[in-house]
Amino acid sequence: MARFKGIIEVDTKRCKGCNLCVVACPLKLIELSPLVNRNGYNYAVQTDPEKCNGCSSCGIMCPDGCITVYRTKE
Amino acid sequence: MDEKTIKSPQNIVYQKPRLMNDTPMHYCPGCGHSIVHKLVAEILDEMGIEEKTIGVCPVGCAVFAYRYLDIDWIEAAHGRAPACASALKRLWPEHLVFTYQGDGDLACIGTGETIQTLNRGENITVIFINNAIYGMTGGQMAPTTLMGMKTSTCPYGRQADLHGFPLKISDIAATLEGTCYVTRQAVNTVGNIARAKKAIRQAFENSLQGRGSSLVEIVSTCSAGWKMTPVQSNQWLTENMLPYYPLGDLKNIKD
Ligand SMILES: Cc1ncc(C[n+]2csc(CCOP(=O)(O)OP(=O)(O)O)c2C)c(N)n1
Ligand code: SF4
Ligand code: SF4
Ligand code: SF4
Ligand SMILES: [Mg+2]
C-alpha cells in the first residue's frame, strides 16, 4: 500500500504562535519554539517530519496562512 | 526520501491562498476573522471570479480586510455595508457583491440595513462573523452576547432583565421572503472549516445566479475579548456558543 510522505514549511516571520496548528495536527508533530520571531511570538516548528503524512490539517487551521504543506507518495 | 525531494513545488497540497497577499494581518493570534479571510480568498480563486468581485468591509476588526485580499473592496460606514452592497449590485449586476460584517456591525448598529436588504432579496452574500462581542473597541457586550457571559460593559454577566436576550439574527433572516440561503457555520475545527467553505461557495453561487440574498453566519472566537487563549476560545465556543447558535442550514431554497 502506498503511504503518503509529507512535510510542512512554516513562515516563522508571519506566525503568531496561536497554537491552533499544534492542536489540529492529529499526529502531534508540531510544537511552539522556545525562540521568538521579531514580533515576539513563539513560532511553530515541526518536531518529527518523518512521521508527517501531509494531511494538511495544520495548514487549513492556521489563521494566518503560515503553513505550506507538501505531500508525495513514498 | 529526503526533505529536498518532498519540498518541490509540484508536491504542494496546501499553502496561503494566492489572493491573500503578504501584508501581515492585524488580527490577534488565532482570530476567526483570519480563517474566514482565507476561505474567501480560496473560493474566489477556485471560482475564477476575482476580477468581478466586490467586497464591502465593515467597521469592526475586519475594517482592514481590504488590505489582505487582492480583490476590489469598498469600505462602508458602521452597519451600512448591506446598503452599499445593494447599490453596488444594482449598478454592477454581473458582479459578485458580498459584505463581511461582525455581530456589532450587522446585528446592532446595522440591524435595519441587514433586515431590509435581506427582505428586498438583494442578490448579495452577507458573511456574518458572530463572536458575541464588540472585538475592535475592547470587548463590550453585543446583541449576540450569551446569557451570563461577561464583557467589559456587563462585568457581572449578561442578564435578561437588564440587557435582554441574545439576538439570533440568522433565525430572523430565515423567515424573510427575500433570503434563499441562510446557514450557520463555524471555523473551530478542520471539519467545520471545510463545511464553512462549502457554505460560502454556495452563497456566492446563489448571488451570481440571482436567487436572492444569502446569509452565512460564522460562529467565531475573539480570544482578546473573551480573555482566553485561542485554543481555550475554540473550546469555549464548542461548549457555550454552539448550544445556543447551533450549526447547519436554517433555510436553503435550491433553484
Ligand atoms: C457610528 C459608529 N458607532 C460606533 C463606532 C464604534 N465601533 C467601532 S467597531 C464597533 C463594534 C464592532 O463590533 P463587531 O461588529 O462585532 O466587530 P468585531 O470587532 O467583533 O469583529 C463599534 C461600536 C463607530 N466606529 N461608528
Ligand atoms: S500535514 Fe498533517 S501530519 Fe503533517 S504536520 Fe500538518 S497536521 Fe500534522
Ligand atoms: S496556526 Fe499558524 S500562526 Fe498559529 S502557531 Fe501555527 S503556524 Fe503559527
Ligand atoms: S479583538 Fe477579537 S475579533 Fe478583533 S482581532 Fe482580536 S481576537 Fe479577532
Ligand atoms: Mg463581534
Side-chain angles (χ1 to χ4, degrees):
Chain A
M1 206 175 74
R3 214 178 72 93
F4 286 111
K5 181 76 205 81
I7 196 161
I8 66 166
E9 203 166 49
V10 179
D11 183 343
T12 55
K13 286 192 187 125
R14 201 175 160 92
C15 173
K16 293 176 181 166
C18 71
N19 216 29
L20 292 183
C21 57
V22 175
V23 174
C25 175
L27 303 177
K28 301 282 165 258
L29 305 180
I30 308 175
E31 61 181 38
L32 296 187
S33 166
L35 305 175
V36 295
N37 61 18
R38 60 184 168 185
N39 295 320
Y41 293 124
N42 297 91
Y43 51 83
V45 287
Q46 194 172 30
T47 50
D48 259 330
E50 320 74 51
K51 294 188 188 148
C52 173
N53 60 18
C55 73
S56 299
S57 297
C58 54
I60 292 166
M61 188 46 94
C62 175
D64 288 85
C66 311
I67 301 180
T68 303
V69 184
Y70 299 85
R71 180 183 231 193
T72 183
K73 281 208 179 110
E74 217 162 37
Chain B
M1 197 180 305
D2 64 85
E3 211 182 295
K4 255 208 182 125
T5 327
I6 309 174
K7 277 191 184 172
S8 58
Q10 79 269 15
N11 290 338
I12 293 177
V13 286
Y14 191 86
Q15 63 185 335
K16 181 162 73 64
R18 185 180 61 88
L19 292 177
M20 177 172 274
N21 59 40
D22 290 331
T23 311
M25 293 196 277
H26 72 288
Y27 300 113
C28 305
C31 180
H33 276 302
S34 318
I35 300 181
V36 181
H37 282 24
K38 262 194 342 180
L39 293 184
V40 171
E42 285 172 9
I43 295 163
L44 294 177
D45 196 13
E46 285 161 21
M47 290 175 77
I49 51 170
E50 67 193 85
E51 294 296 336
K52 54 176 237 175
T53 298
I54 308 171
V56 187
C57 289
V59 170
C61 278
V63 68
F64 293 134
Y66 57 78
R67 287 186 180 170
Y68 311 132
L69 301 194
D70 288 334
I71 55 168
D72 287 335
W73 289 97
I74 191 166
E75 176 64 57
H78 206 359
R80 283 26 170 182
C84 269
S86 301
L88 286 166
K89 181 65 184 182
R90 287 174 182 214
L91 290 165
W92 299 83
E94 303 303 317
H95 275 58
L96 168 70
V97 180
F98 73 93
T99 72
Y100 184 104
Q101 303 174 257
D103 46 321
D105 188 83
L106 174 145
C108 187
I109 196 158
T111 321
E113 281 78 359
T114 305
I115 300 288
Q116 300 296 354
T117 299
L118 300 178
N119 194 45
R120 288 194 306 270
E122 302 285 349
N123 291 310
I124 64 159
T125 292
V126 174
I127 299 175
F128 164 33
I129 308 296
N130 180 4
N131 53 17
I133 207 158
Y134 288 3
M136 185 197 208
T137 41
Q140 293 85 358
M141 179 173 52
T144 44
T145 296
L146 296 176
M147 297 312 295
M149 182 177 168
K150 292 184 173 119
T151 71
S152 62
T153 47
C154 53
Y156 304 110
R158 182 177 189 152
Q159 289 165 248
D161 53 349
L162 263 180
H163 314 114
F165 298 92
L167 187 57
K168 290 184 178 178
I169 201 109
S170 295
D171 292 64
I172 299 172
T175 67
L176 303 174
E177 291 295 327
T179 53
C180 61
Y181 182 44
V182 180
T183 186
R184 194 182 285 119
Q185 304 288 331
V187 290
N188 58 329
T189 64
V190 174
N192 281 345
I193 293 172
R195 281 181 278 276
K197 181 172 174 181
K198 233 174 119 197
I200 297 172
R201 174 151 188 165
Q202 198 199 317
F204 284 175
E205 277 163 6
N206 290 342
S207 298
L208 283 176
Q209 283 158 22
R211 290 180 176 152
S213 305
S214 296
L215 172 68
V216 183
E217 172 176 348
I218 312 276
V219 182
S220 188
T221 57
C222 174
S223 58
W226 297 1
K227 310 207 186 307
M228 297 172 201
T229 66
V231 172
Q232 288 166 339
S233 298
N234 273 342
Q235 220 163 341
W236 195 88
L237 176 146
T238 309
E239 286 162 16
N240 299 279
M241 295 278 280
L242 299 188
Y244 193 79
Y245 299 114
L247 304 184
D249 290 354
L250 295 153
K251 182 180 195 177
N252 193 356
I253 300 174
K254 296 209 171 105
D255 51 56

